[in-house]
Amino acid sequence: MKLVSIDTIPGRTFEALGIVKGTVVQTKNVGRDFMAGMKTLVGGEIVGYTEMLNEARQIATKRMVDEAEALEADAVVGVRYGSSQVMQGAAEVIAYGTAVKFLD
């Protein structure tokens, strides 16, 4: 499955099949939260949160691809990611784009 953030694929023509998306809500665990609190005292990257969000993006991307495959798509164009806080200590990550079928 080809995934691109642009709205076209140079040299290819395609038919839009529809919007596809994948979402996941991730929470922090107590250990990560405690270590993040300690890190705020000295500054720098909070590696535990970076890893958590990377994992969440991977899960959301896979779910989006699964939706596209169910439509028999060849690619997803215009791929975007978003995130929001759902509640204290929990964030939603969404991946979305347009599933397309190649005509050539």
Side-chain angles (χ1 to χ4, degrees):
M1 178 72 55
K2 186 175 201 80
L3 305 176
V4 296
S5 60
I6 56 178
D7 294 328
T8 63
I9 299 174
R12 301 304 300 256
T13 57
F14 51 79
E15 168 190 9
L17 301 176
I19 295 172
V20 289
K21 48 85 180 93
T23 63
V24 64
V25 176
Q26 288 284 99
T27 61
K28 309 180 263 191
N29 69 36
V30 174
R32 271 193 190 140
D33 203 30
F34 176 75
M35 293 308 292
M38 294 288 98
K39 189 66 167 182
T40 60
L41 297 174
V42 295
E45 180 181 7
I46 302 172
V47 176
Y49 286 157
T50 300
E51 292 169 353
M52 179 188 76
L53 289 171
N54 281 335
E55 180 183 341
R57 276 189 291 276
Q58 288 174 352
I59 293 167
T61 300
K62 176 161 182 355
R63 290 177 180 173
M64 176 187 66
V65 168
D66 289 346
E67 277 195 16
E69 288 174 343
L71 295 174
E72 298 183 5
D74 296 311
V76 180
V77 299
V79 174
R80 302 289 187 266
Y81 293 93
S83 64
S84 62
Q85 184 175 356
V86 176
M87 56 183 269
Q88 185 67 29
E92 176 192 32
V93 173
I94 183 169
Y96 60 96
T98 302
V100 300
K101 183 83 171 161
F102 293 141
L103 298 175
D104 51 9

